[in-house]
Amino acid sequence: MKHFKKFLMFITIMTTILSCNDDLSFSPKGVVSLETLDTPEEADQMVIAAYAALGNDFGGTKPTSSMWLYSSVRSDDAYKGGGSVTDGGGGQLNAFEQYNLVLPSMARINDAWVLIYQGVARTNNALRIISQFSIDEYPKKNERIAEMKFVRAHWWFLLKVLFKYPVLADETISDDDLKLTGNRIYTNNEGWDLIANDLQFAIDNLPTNQNEIGRPNKISASAYKAKVRLYQAYEQNEQNAIINISPEKLNEVVALCNDVINSGKYSLSNDFSENFILETENGPESVWAIQFSQDDGTEQGRLNMANSHSYSLAPGYGCCGWHQPSQTMVNAFKTDIDGLPLFNTYNDIEMKDPIDFQTNGVDPRLDHTIGIPTHPYKYDPSFIYQSNWARTPTIYGPYSGMKEMLLPNDPGLVKVGPFFGTSKSADIIRYADVLLMKAEALIELGRHVEALPLINEIRVRAANSTGKLKNTDGSPISNYRIEPYNIAGWTQDFARKAMQWERRLEFATESPRFFDLVRWGIAGETLNPYLEIEKTRHSYLQNAQFTEGKDEYFPIPQAQIDLTEGLYQQNVGW
């Protein structure tokens, strides 16, 4: 076991120095105040405290390093799972999956808002402290400002995709002014520009290489800015419908992705599995990841608890069966005789019995993503997944997530009460995302032929990722059949569908699916047909319904509207 001396874990005690309340100003309750931090060394500690907030997730309900509850479960990727429909916040998590049960008064929505703003507050506090020093006093001043603006951009991005109109207040706004700052002082487009501006500062002031894992660099800032501009390119009206796709923003996405690609710093991992095991964390595909640790001098380490409730009842686990892949997700990995996706017919017949995975062609990424009865789990041919490992198979089916899970005997897995944490880093942007963002922009620009090799690069990697997918006798777990696309028939419409499908399979259960659907303007037309089929499989979804022009975003928490005496304006439809 390595000692995990990743820099952002140096001072985990700082996570308690800035405890916060539900006001966006988050006045410190700890043993220090901002006024007493007056040395560059203490400024660096504030920076570390801001980084530490990135790891404050627990069970997926506090969105920092993972958004599985807020995206996978709200899409066609996964069910909530757990011990019952009401398990998790008295049914609030179930409401997320069903859309029409969500209420602005729900505590879980307010919890997400508050937790993210705690992270924003830490970056703003660090920026205030840093700003008081000259370059001579603090040679790393501009670099540390750039790091904090990068981290703040991450928090603001989460707020934008969750709430559309959050409060975007920087370090120059005093606590008194913050109480008078509404959530509609910027348009939707202007909000994206604020995030992009922070990332541009990071691009301009960060080094290309960082000595300490976890600090962003110039190239990772370019990748994140490409992500922001891609979302911004799809211009929405107040009803959340796409009214225009900006060529200017798409061209910027292409240029930023080229900066990442041409830097030579990143590449696809040789095997898809290397993104999801401890031994190869922070590999060539990891453009930016949140770091975690154990054996770091603290009581139990700074563990990743985002998936703490998502382990099955398998021997060595035992709790709690959340975030279960959907039957529709399993079916989506089917391929036709030519090794290509079955875009229109994949969900007509369920693929669930052991023989089905031999008679159908399947994309290898299936067995990297989903625990399936009779299949080896997480690359251990002797650890065969059983249907009774699912906590409530009669409600949520027999499957289990796998990407972020570690085996029971993995040195990076730590039992914390009935739950589980890991010391594995959490990728926020993978190089595969950069390739597909560029492909998406090219397709929407009408340059779809240029997107073909980018998508095929990812498919070829998937085809070459079967080395760990073996039974004890060395035979393949499933009937793997995947091929790259051919230029014949590669129209813009087909290319768009292929790109969207590739994102679906490549990032299945990693969290972007719901936000992708909203960005493309197809959430309603995708999720309601999905629900109609799933209602025949799972009775608890009988009344589920996605409402276009409303359910693309969460409501602004009613607790925050009440706290500001109506200053904040509610989102459309709520």
Side-chain angles (χ1 to χ4, degrees):
M1 169 61 65
K2 61 182 179 178
H3 192 59
F4 292 107
K5 290 186 178 178
K6 298 170 183 172
F7 90 94
L8 74 91
M9 305 310 158
F10 281 2
I11 307 179
T12 53
I13 193 172
M14 288 300 292
T15 62
T16 62
I17 287 179
L18 294 178
S19 299
C20 305
N21 56 32
D22 286 359
D23 189 341
L24 291 190
S25 59
F26 296 115
S27 300
K29 295 180 183 177
V31 296
V32 299
S33 66
L34 298 184
E35 290 74 18
T36 66
L37 300 173
D38 54 8
T39 69
E41 292 75 20
E42 289 169 333
D44 264 346
Q45 290 176 356
M46 290 295 291
V47 168
I48 293 170
Y51 276 110
L54 293 167
N56 282 346
D57 204 334
F58 183 75
T61 60
K62 297 178 177 179
T64 58
S65 61
S66 174
M67 297 281 276
W68 67 258
L69 176 62
Y70 301 90
S71 184
S72 289
V73 168
R74 291 168 70 208
S75 73
D76 46 5
D77 264 17
Y79 316 123
K80 171 189 74 72
S84 67
V85 173
T86 58
D87 187 16
Q92 292 182 60
L93 308 191
N94 172 64
F96 290 2
E97 185 175 0
Q98 305 217 27
Y99 312 109
N100 56 341
L101 300 179
V102 171
L103 298 172
S105 59
M106 285 181 167
R108 293 293 189 184
I109 296 175
N110 188 59
D111 289 346
W113 176 282
V114 169
L115 186 78
I116 294 173
Y117 275 111
Q118 289 174 354
V120 173
R122 291 196 190 190
T123 60
N124 283 342
N125 284 335
L127 287 165
R128 291 185 185 110
I129 297 301
I130 295 169
S131 66
Q132 68 185 337
F133 300 107
S134 68
I135 293 291
D136 289 338
E137 294 172 310
Y138 193 6
K140 290 278 190 179
K141 176 179 179 177
N142 286 340
E143 186 176 330
R144 293 293 182 257
I145 290 174
E147 290 176 36
M148 290 297 90
K149 289 194 173 187
F150 179 99
V151 173
R152 184 172 66 190
H154 171 67
W155 291 123
W156 281 355
F157 178 85
L158 299 187
L159 287 166
K160 283 288 288 178
V161 296
L162 288 173
F163 298 105
K164 189 173 183 176
Y165 287 110
V167 180
L168 300 178
D170 65 19
E171 75 281 7
T172 66
I173 298 179
S174 68
D175 288 350
D176 288 339
D177 288 340
L178 184 57
K179 295 173 182 177
L180 304 175
T181 303
N183 66 322
R184 290 295 190 106
I185 62 174
Y186 300 109
T187 66
N188 185 42
N189 190 59
E190 289 169 342
W192 287 121
D193 278 338
L194 287 177
I195 304 174
N197 291 343
D198 267 3
L199 290 166
Q200 185 59 52
F201 187 93
I203 292 169
D204 293 339
N205 291 276
L206 287 175
T208 301
N209 298 299
Q210 292 278 20
N211 294 326
E212 296 167 309
I213 295 173
R215 294 192 193 269
N217 59 53
K218 181 187 298 290
I219 309 304
S220 51
S222 294
Y224 215 135
K225 187 179 179 185
K227 185 175 182 178
V228 169
R229 289 304 196 201
L230 185 60
Y231 274 75
Q232 186 180 15
Y234 294 83
E235 298 173 3
Q236 297 180 351
N237 63 15
E238 285 303 296
Q239 287 69 47
N240 307 326
I242 306 303
I243 56 174
N244 183 54
I245 303 177
S246 167
E248 176 189 4
K249 296 297 185 294
L250 293 174
N251 279 312
E252 189 173 357
V253 172
V254 173
L256 288 162
C257 288
N258 283 340
D259 289 342
V260 180
I261 294 167
N262 295 336
S263 74
K265 279 185 63 67
Y266 304 104
S267 62
L268 294 179
S269 298
N270 290 327
D271 191 290
F272 190 60
S273 66
E274 293 173 7
N275 295 297
F276 311 110
I277 55 179
L278 184 66
E279 296 89 332
T280 47
E281 66 173 345
N282 299 312
E285 193 164 340
S286 180
V287 177
W288 184 60
I290 297 171
Q291 305 300 309
F292 297 91
S293 64
Q294 66 183 94
D295 299 335
D296 55 11
T298 60
E299 183 175 351
Q300 63 186 29
R302 184 62 168 157
L303 299 172
N304 182 353
M305 301 296 291
N307 300 284
S308 61
H309 293 56
S310 299
Y311 286 82
S312 71
L313 303 185
Y317 297 145
C319 188
C320 295
W322 288 13
H323 193 198
Q324 288 190 228
S326 70
Q327 184 63 54
T328 293
M329 182 78 265
V330 173
N331 297 342
F333 286 94
K334 289 181 187 176
T335 60
D336 65 17
I337 194 66
D338 297 317
L340 299 178
L342 294 164
F343 295 135
N344 300 316
T345 60
Y346 75 98
N347 212 18
D348 291 351
I349 300 175
E350 295 181 356
M351 184 169 61
K352 62 180 181 179
D353 295 327
I355 191 64
D356 295 338
F357 299 92
Q358 300 299 325
T359 55
N360 289 285
V362 300
D363 188 307
R365 287 171 289 190
L366 169 72
D367 284 312
H368 291 279
T369 304
I370 302 172
I372 299 169
T374 74
H375 291 208
Y377 188 81
K378 198 68 179 183
Y379 317 125
D380 182 350
S382 66
F383 196 48
I384 307 300
Y385 187 85
Q386 306 294 321
S387 58
N388 62 4
W389 290 0
R391 187 176 178 189
T392 49
T394 57
I395 301 175
Y396 294 113
Y399 306 113
S400 173
M402 188 156 56
K403 280 183 173 176
E404 300 307 321
M405 309 296 108
L406 297 183
L407 286 169
N409 61 353
D410 194 296
L413 185 71
V414 180
K415 198 170 191 302
V416 182
F419 310 121
F420 297 88
T422 77
S423 54
K424 183 188 172 298
S425 60
D427 284 314
I428 303 302
I429 299 179
R430 292 201 276 117
Y431 185 72
D433 202 359
V434 175
L435 295 179
L436 287 175
M437 287 192 293
K438 180 181 177 181
E440 181 175 341
L442 289 170
I443 290 166
E444 297 305 333
L445 286 167
R447 298 163 58 186
H448 45 283
V449 173
E450 297 174 63
L452 177 60
L454 299 170
I455 294 172
N456 279 343
E457 185 176 348
I458 292 173
R459 291 185 65 77
V460 169
R461 192 270 294 273
N464 293 333
S465 297
T466 60
K468 291 185 173 70
L469 305 181
K470 304 289 187 182
N471 295 307
T472 52
D473 62 2
S475 61
I477 299 171
S478 301
N479 179 30
Y480 302 123
R481 189 168 63 204
I482 179 174
E483 296 292 338
Y485 290 102
N486 194 288
I487 189 63
W490 189 257
T491 64
Q492 184 184 38
D493 287 344
F494 185 87
R496 182 183 295 114
K497 183 174 291 187
M499 174 275 299
Q500 292 176 351
W501 204 267
E502 205 62 28
R503 285 194 64 85
R504 182 179 193 182
L505 301 186
E506 180 71 14
F507 302 114
T509 71
E510 291 182 56
S511 297
R513 176 64 173 168
F514 180 81
F515 305 129
D516 283 348
L517 295 175
V518 172
R519 180 174 78 253
W520 298 326
I522 61 172
E525 67 186 69
T526 300
L527 295 176
N528 281 323
Y530 156 75
L531 288 171
E532 287 308 307
I533 293 175
E534 289 294 332
K535 287 174 184 181
T536 68
R537 299 166 176 163
H538 302 282
S539 59
Y540 78 95
L541 290 170
Q542 286 305 306
N543 297 315
Q545 180 72 29
F546 183 94
T547 301
E548 293 183 355
K550 173 192 174 189
D551 290 325
E552 291 86 359
Y553 297 94
F554 277 129
I556 304 300
Q558 188 61 46
Q560 299 301 319
I561 294 176
D562 294 343
L563 186 68
T564 60
E565 299 180 347
L567 177 64
Y568 296 168
Q569 183 177 333
Q570 187 55 274
N571 283 335
V572 66
W574 296 97

